[in-house]
Amino acid sequence: MEGMVSYQLVIDCAEPERMARFWAGALRYTVEPPPGGFGTWRDYWRGIGVPEDELGEGDGSDSIVDPEGHGPRIWFQRVPEGKVVKNRFHLDVKVGGRREDVPLETRRARVDAEVERLVQAGASVVRVLSRPGVDHYAVAMVDPEGNEFDVV
């Protein structure tokens, strides 16, 4: 095999548009515009034959992209069942800086500022991950649908 594979991250959820808006803000991504020739994602999904009862409310915006083109596309897929167990996979939102370059107190201040921003956007704090004498600081959080992630 040659070269790198491409991938998108798919997150199951109940409200794709809400999750797309939350995670676009959290990751500094943008909500992906609909394909050329379509005014909305809803128009696109209708155009390829997706039944109306599967489209949900709103304009159908359910994916986000890295505006600089480096990170993966993230698609929020509507599923009928709710989340019932802890994630086996989670994201680390890295804002503190590298341990080698940034003192712990500066990293802590950056993480706390990002946590506050994400709480205002709809996330909730689960616990602070910090112990005396350990050069690490992070905050475990959940997004609006209860998916775990850490701010580091």
Side-chain angles (χ1 to χ4, degrees), residues 8-89:
Q8 75 175 353
L9 175 62
V10 179
I11 299 176
D12 292 350
C13 62
E15 297 181 55
E17 289 182 50
R18 178 180 182 207
M19 293 293 283
R21 286 190 308 274
F22 172 80
W23 281 105
L27 300 176
R28 293 172 176 82
Y29 268 43
T30 58
V31 174
E32 184 177 30
F38 295 94
T40 66
W41 276 100
R42 185 179 198 82
D43 293 341
Y44 169 77
W45 294 123
R46 279 186 190 126
I48 65 168
V50 174
E52 194 69 32
D53 63 336
E54 292 181 22
L55 294 178
E57 302 296 321
D59 71 0
S61 296
D62 61 3
S63 56
I64 61 176
V65 292
D66 178 352
E68 296 181 16
H70 301 295
R73 177 183 192 257
I74 302 174
W75 178 43
F76 298 91
Q77 175 177 277
R78 183 183 316 277
V79 296
E81 67 278 355
K83 182 179 177 300
V84 294
V85 297
K86 184 179 184 330
N87 296 9
R88 295 290 305 237
F89 177 94

Side-chain angles (χ1 to χ4, degrees), residues 105-119:
E105 288 310 311
T106 302
R107 294 192 321 265
R108 181 186 315 264
R110 290 175 180 174
V111 167
D112 287 345
E114 185 69 1
V115 165
E116 180 57 33
R117 187 180 78 81
L118 294 173
V119 165

Side-chain angles (χ1 to χ4, degrees), residues 86-150:
K86 184 179 184 330
N87 296 9
R88 295 290 305 237
F89 177 94
H90 74 262
L91 298 178
D92 283 348
V93 178
K94 298 172 91 174
V95 298
R98 293 172 23 120
R99 182 175 291 116
E100 300 82 11
D101 302 328
V102 181
L104 178 60
E105 288 310 311
T106 302
R107 294 192 321 265
R108 181 186 315 264
R110 290 175 180 174
V111 167
D112 287 345
E114 185 69 1
V115 165
E116 180 57 33
R117 187 180 78 81
L118 294 173
V119 165
Q120 294 300 315
S124 300
V125 172
V126 174
R127 69 185 166 283
V128 174
L129 307 168
S130 176
R131 290 193 330 229
V134 177
D135 188 18
H136 176 74
Y137 183 79
V139 176
M141 301 187 77
V142 292
D143 71 15
E145 290 198 9
N147 299 300
E148 298 91 0
F149 67 99
D150 294 336

